[in-house]
Amino acid sequence: MKFLLIVLGLAILGHSQSLTTAPHPVHPEAELPFVEYCSYFNYPVETHYITTDDGYILTFYRIQKKNTTIRRLGLTPIYLQHGLTDSSDTWIVNDEDKAPGLILANKGFDVWIGNSRGNKHSRNHTTLNPDKDKEFWMFTFQHMADYDLPAAFRYISGQTQQKINYIGHSQGTMIMHIALAKNNPIVEGLLDKYFGFGPVAFCDHQTSRLMTLLDHSPLLQWYESHKIYEFLPSLDWFETTAGVVFCAAFEEFCSDLIKNICDADPTLDNADRFDVIFGHEPSGTSVLNMAHWKQLVDSGKWGAFDYGSAAENRAHYGQDKPPAYDPSNIFAYSEKIRVPLRWFAGNEDELADKTDVNRFWPLLNPQAQGSLKFYTAGHVTFIWGLDTSPWMNDVLSYFQNMETEQ
């Protein structure tokens, strides 16, 4: 059934985007799980489980250079963190010479690839059952910033005995921005360098199809009325009773799934790999997380989740309204903290719109050390692009240059 959904999705995407590439057989790795995928291409891989302070058990993968074995110490660690409704898979599903995770591994880095709470790899908790307990799903990206990120930094640093270099994409940048705006001592203390692909904070100029659907349809109300708290966990979900009912209510969304969720563009993104990508996407999150994104779109502000009443906000924050995040706290210079920052933004990006990026950048601490560069790229082009060399070469170059600067 999942194979048929992949083929159907590709056919629909091709029709809707007028793809000119010739059809080809589905790649054999299209449905391989992460570990099997890496083994198929001869990359050494380890699975690590990281428990957050609030009990979520996150699955992380560690990969290194092709045709080698894992070296425990000595290699420079880079931690890759995916975006919204995505997973670790996103960093490896492009062609080997284009996938950021595989490029970095083959350049000799110790690559750690994370999975946020609630996605298909991280549906685990010390006490809560994601299939039975609503409480498991009561999180947004602010909890990833407060709990997932410091847990990952503490664990990876403990394993490698080094500070962490971080590359975030989309929501992966959002959670880093929040952690630094709140001056999280673990993240600030263990962070070496930060690279942001499709950096996000303000969202009011976005034109993403998924966000537009959230904003102008009863989608989130539908989830609430059906007491479903998990948002699009994987293609397997569409085979369930809930998935069938959902697609009956939102037929156009289901028929144009990958385009709506990912804002993929076959003129910029690797259409030849869409069968592999569609075999690994989407990966799910919480409905509450989607509601938080909708709040940012509606408000034009950058702040914590609004629980809807003064009483509930007081219970969570000690005040009637959710606090705003202060960009001027980010990348402050001191004797202890000087985080080199590189942002990679797309001129064609529909979620991290360049107007919002250019609005956020000047609000950072004026003593910040960093650069903002725009590329001919959409939001997922940084991961799935036909040609990822412009920014990946810059990452490697920036990395080398910053090593000599420090």
Side-chain angles (χ1 to χ4, degrees):
M1 178 63 175
K2 187 172 181 180
F3 175 85
L4 293 176
L5 283 168
I6 294 171
V7 175
L8 176 61
L10 288 168
I12 293 166
L13 180 64
H15 175 74
S16 64
Q17 296 277 19
S18 299
L19 286 176
T20 59
T21 53
H24 61 77
V26 173
H27 289 86
E29 67 271 24
E31 294 189 66
L32 289 179
F34 190 97
V35 171
E36 288 82 350
Y37 187 105
C38 291
S39 298
Y40 181 83
F41 288 103
N42 296 318
Y43 287 85
V45 57
E46 292 179 345
T47 303
H48 293 255
Y49 299 101
I50 301 175
T51 302
T52 68
D53 287 345
D54 60 344
Y56 287 83
I57 301 171
L58 313 176
T59 300
F60 274 58
Y61 297 109
R62 182 187 200 178
I63 62 172
Q64 293 179 6
K65 191 173 184 179
K66 186 181 177 108
N67 297 322
T68 64
T69 57
I70 294 287
R71 284 178 55 183
R72 295 284 184 266
L73 297 173
L75 301 181
T76 300
I78 294 185
Y79 163 24
L80 309 180
Q81 185 58 47
H82 62 78
L84 179 64
T85 72
D86 211 343
S87 76
S88 54
D89 303 16
T90 198
W91 298 98
I92 65 170
V93 291
N94 206 339
D95 291 318
E96 282 190 83
D97 62 340
K98 300 178 180 69
L102 303 183
I103 291 172
L104 293 167
N106 285 323
K107 289 295 182 180
F109 291 98
D110 186 5
V111 180
W112 293 76
I113 309 183
N115 285 289
S116 295
R117 60 180 62 198
N119 83 359
K120 66 181 181 181
H121 295 295
S122 294
R123 296 177 82 260
N124 292 288
H125 193 277
T126 54
T127 60
L128 299 174
N129 184 334
D131 295 319
K132 296 180 179 179
D133 298 320
K134 173 184 175 181
E135 291 78 11
F136 179 93
W137 300 104
M138 295 298 100
F139 64 80
T140 84
F141 53 76
Q142 71 190 31
H143 300 91
M144 301 172 196
D146 292 344
Y147 295 101
D148 295 9
L149 208 57
F153 269 68
R154 189 167 47 220
Y155 183 91
I156 296 171
S157 180
Q159 291 286 313
T160 64
Q161 302 301 302
Q162 296 187 60
K163 285 193 171 185
I164 309 304
N165 303 284
Y166 182 88
I167 301 180
H169 175 238
S170 188
Q171 184 176 264
T173 69
M174 175 73 84
I175 63 177
M176 176 57 74
H177 299 153
I178 294 172
L180 293 174
K182 296 175 73 172
N183 299 127
N184 185 286
I186 295 173
V187 175
E188 285 189 335
L190 295 177
L191 178 62
D192 191 353
K193 303 172 185 67
Y194 165 43
F195 304 87
F197 291 173
V200 188
F202 299 118
C203 296
D204 46 320
H205 288 88
Q206 64 77 36
T207 56
S208 161
R209 287 175 284 268
L210 175 58
M211 292 301 165
T212 301
L213 179 68
L214 289 178
D215 209 34
H216 299 292
S217 80
L219 179 61
L220 293 180
Q221 295 93 318
W222 181 91
Y223 273 95
E224 182 178 357
S225 67
H226 287 76
K227 300 187 184 305
I228 299 174
Y229 309 107
E230 183 176 13
F231 186 83
L232 299 183
S234 72
L235 283 176
D236 291 334
W237 182 82
F238 290 89
E239 301 175 42
T240 67
T241 300
V244 171
V245 174
F246 175 88
C247 284
F250 299 96
E251 182 178 355
E252 183 177 353
F253 178 81
C254 289
S255 69
D256 226 358
L257 177 65
I258 195 168
K259 184 181 74 172
N260 279 298
I261 292 178
C262 305
D263 295 328
D265 181 348
T267 66
L268 297 171
D269 306 325
N270 192 354
D272 187 58
R273 298 292 290 179
F274 278 169
D275 62 327
V276 181
I277 293 166
F278 204 43
H280 292 81
E281 302 288 335
S283 299
T285 187
S286 71
V287 173
L288 203 70
N289 191 35
M290 302 308 297
H292 196 171
W293 279 99
K294 183 181 184 301
Q295 288 181 4
L296 297 191
V297 171
D298 290 343
S299 69
K301 299 177 181 179
W302 187 48
F305 182 74
D306 188 342
Y307 284 92
S309 71
E312 286 197 65
N313 285 328
R314 281 196 301 271
H316 287 90
Y317 308 120
Q319 57 189 58
D320 290 353
K321 295 183 178 181
Y325 301 126
D326 185 356
S328 69
N329 285 343
I330 298 178
F331 314 114
Y333 173 79
S334 73
E335 291 183 358
K336 294 182 179 179
I337 305 167
R338 191 182 185 193
V339 179
L341 160 68
R342 297 292 185 266
W343 273 9
F344 304 78
N347 282 311
E348 312 303 322
D349 197 326
E350 296 181 349
L351 180 59
D353 182 88
K354 57 186 177 183
T355 302
D356 292 327
V357 173
N358 282 322
R359 174 188 171 197
F360 190 63
W361 180 260
L363 300 178
L364 303 181
N365 190 289
Q367 297 182 22
Q369 176 193 38
S371 67
L372 165 62
K373 184 174 180 179
F374 284 87
Y375 300 82
T376 302
H379 196 59
V380 296
T381 310
F382 292 103
I383 311 296
W384 305 340
L386 282 165
D387 180 11
T388 60
S389 62
W391 44 91
M392 290 308 299
N393 287 341
D394 283 348
V395 166
L396 296 169
S397 176
Y398 285 143
F399 199 95
Q400 184 177 19
N401 292 339
M402 285 188 288
E403 287 285 353
T404 61
E405 289 171 7
Q406 291 185 331

